[in-house]
Each structure stands twice: as structure tokens, then as C-alpha cells.
């Protein structure tokens, strides 16, 4: 679904990613792990087009998208949920969702489907998003992305600062979506257990380079923890 081929990305003269090659399987999850500053978020920003590689190629479903703008990538089925439970805090939960739904054909139906995936949001539709808990805002952020009916979902630290019960709900939703087909996920995650349960393949980044990779699943936990030295 998504391929990074020898990708070098940076900010100005500072290179952050050094020749990263990785892929996200069709209808599957690839997890990217690493310590702070390893380049994980930079990889997602390059994937959605907010950063352009100095070298290398990014492909989506076989198409070279390296030079495409973010809106062109979104039109091809990509959706991005950045770090930090982002929303419009002065709007209600419903208004946050409607902003996306009203801009897309079939958006109202997709909004209903997103609420079915995160039913806790239904009781919060009239509450301002800024008054939601961190976990509720993260569910809202993911629901907003899902209204676009993406083929590839980019998630940056979706469990950061969230209580365990909500982490379990997000994990259940992501696994359910990929198992029914039609959605691939590139997941940046510090929570090793969650990442490996969700992922069919993992990559560990260190100083902008892939230092370890392999098949996901609980059996990979020891290798990943050794790679992360945790």
C-alpha cells in the first residue's frame, strides 16, 4: 500500500531520516517505534506530504507520490491523525465531526459509522471539544479522519497520555477496521504491547535509521524491547 524507498528527510540543512526504507501492507498495520527524536513523526509528515524528501521515493499503491501536495494525497485516500489529540476546542464534538462530513459526499453516513466505532462520543456531541478528556479528544480525532473513508490511516502516538481503558478501545477499533479489509494503517507508537498486537510488521527507528524490523505479534516483544533497550 505505502512504500518508503531510501527516503532522506530533514528540516532545512538538518537531516532527520537517513535512507529509510519501509512499507505498509495492504489491509494491514505497520508499526514504527523508537525513542523521542528518532524520526518517527518526521516519517509520517513525509508520508502525508508536509515534508518533501531530499532523496528517495514514496509510493502509494504503486504510484510515486513523492512530489504530491498533502491535499492530493488525501484525495488518493490518505488520512493523518497527528500527535496531540488535535481538534477545534471551541466547537462541539458534533461540529468537529460535521466540518468533515459536510465537505464530502456521503459524509453524514460516514459520520454515523464513525460514531458507531466510538459510541462514547454520542453522549458528548453537544459538549465543546476543549472540555473532553484526552482520550475522548483522541477518539474524536480518529473519528474525524475515518469520516473521509481513507484507504491509508496515519496515526501518530494515538495512545499518548490516555487512560488504559481508552487505549483498549482504540486498539479494538483499529484491529476491527483492518480485519474487515479496505484500510491500511501506519502507526507510530511508544506503547510496545499495543503496537505489536496491532501490527503485522514493525520497524524500530534510531537516529533516523531503521535499526530493526520484523513480523509483528506478541512473539516480537522481546526483540523490540532489546532494540529499544527497555
Amino acid at each position: 500500500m505505502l512504500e518508503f524507498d531510501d527516503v532522506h528527510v530533514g528540516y532545512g540543512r538538518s537531516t532527520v531520516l537517513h535512507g529509510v526504507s519501509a512499507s505498509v501492507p495492504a489491509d494491514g498495520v505497520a508499526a514504527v517505534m523508537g525513542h523521542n527524536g528518532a524520526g518517527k513523526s518526521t516519517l509520517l509528515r513525509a508520508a502525508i506530504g508536509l515534508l518533501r524528501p531530499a532523496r528517495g521515493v514514496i509510493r502509494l499503491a504503486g504510484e510515486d507520490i513523492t512530489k504530491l501536495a498533502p491535499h492530493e494525497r488525501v484525495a488518493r485516500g490518505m488520512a493523518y491523525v497527528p500527535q496531540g489529540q488535535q481538534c477545534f476546542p471551541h466547537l462541539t464534538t458534533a461540529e468537529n465531526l460535521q466540518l468533515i462530513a459536510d465537505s464530502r459526499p456521503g459524509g453524514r453516513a460516514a459520520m454515523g459509522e464513525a460514531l458507531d466505532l466510538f459510541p462514547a462520543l454520542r453522549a458528548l456531541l453537544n459538549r465543546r471539544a476543549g472540555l473532553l478528556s484526552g482520550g475522548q479528544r483522541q477518539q474524536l480525532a480518529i473519528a474525524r479522519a475515518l469520516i473521509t473513508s481513507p484507504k491509508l490511516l496515519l496515526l501518530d502516538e494515538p495512545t499518548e497520555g490516555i487512560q488504559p481503558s481508552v487505549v483498549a478501545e482504540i486498539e479494538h477499533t483499529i484491529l476491527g477496521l483492518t480485519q474487515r479489509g479496505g484500510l491500511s494503517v501506519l502507526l507510530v507508537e511508544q506503547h510496545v504491547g499495543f503496537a505489536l498486537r496491532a501490527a503485522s510488521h514493525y520497524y524500530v527507528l534510531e537516529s533516523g535509521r531503521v535499526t530493526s524490523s520484523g513480523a509483528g505479534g506478541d512473539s516480537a516483544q522481546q526483540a523490540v524491547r532489546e532494540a529499544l533497550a527497555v
Side-chain angles (χ1 to χ4, degrees), residues 19-87:
V20 170
S21 294
S23 62
V24 182
D27 298 341
V29 180
V32 179
M33 292 168 282
H35 297 297
N36 290 337
K40 304 183 303 298
S41 293
T42 298
L43 186 68
L44 289 192
R45 290 171 63 84
I48 198 62
L50 296 174
L51 294 172
R52 181 170 292 183
R55 287 170 48 193
V57 178
I58 301 174
R59 299 183 184 88
L60 178 67
E63 177 188 4
D64 184 348
I65 62 169
T66 311
K67 297 182 180 180
L68 294 186
H71 73 273
E72 294 175 303
R73 302 185 194 205
V74 170
R76 284 162 172 75
M78 299 179 71
Y80 174 46
V81 181
Q83 191 174 9
Q85 303 125 30
Q86 296 190 16
C87 61

Side-chain angles (χ1 to χ4, degrees), residues 84-85 118 120-121 124 129 132-143 158-167 169-170:
Q85 303 125 30
F118 295 110
L121 293 178
L124 304 169
L132 301 180
S133 70
Q136 290 164 345
R137 287 195 303 273
Q138 187 63 278
Q139 289 177 313
L140 175 57
I142 297 173
T159 69
E160 183 183 37
I162 294 176
Q163 64 192 57
S165 62
V166 180
V167 171
E169 290 179 25
I170 291 173

Side-chain angles (χ1 to χ4, degrees), residues 146-195:
L146 292 174
I147 289 174
T148 68
S149 301
K151 298 176 183 175
L152 174 65
L153 181 62
L154 310 174
L155 294 175
D156 194 353
E157 302 280 12
T159 69
E160 183 183 37
I162 294 176
Q163 64 192 57
S165 62
V166 180
V167 171
E169 290 179 25
I170 291 173
E171 177 181 349
H172 176 76
T173 299
I174 292 171
L175 288 173
L177 287 168
T178 55
Q179 287 169 0
R180 76 184 188 187
L183 179 68
S184 299
V185 178
L186 178 56
L187 171 67
V188 163
E189 182 55 60
Q190 297 261 18
H191 192 301
V192 172
F194 165 49

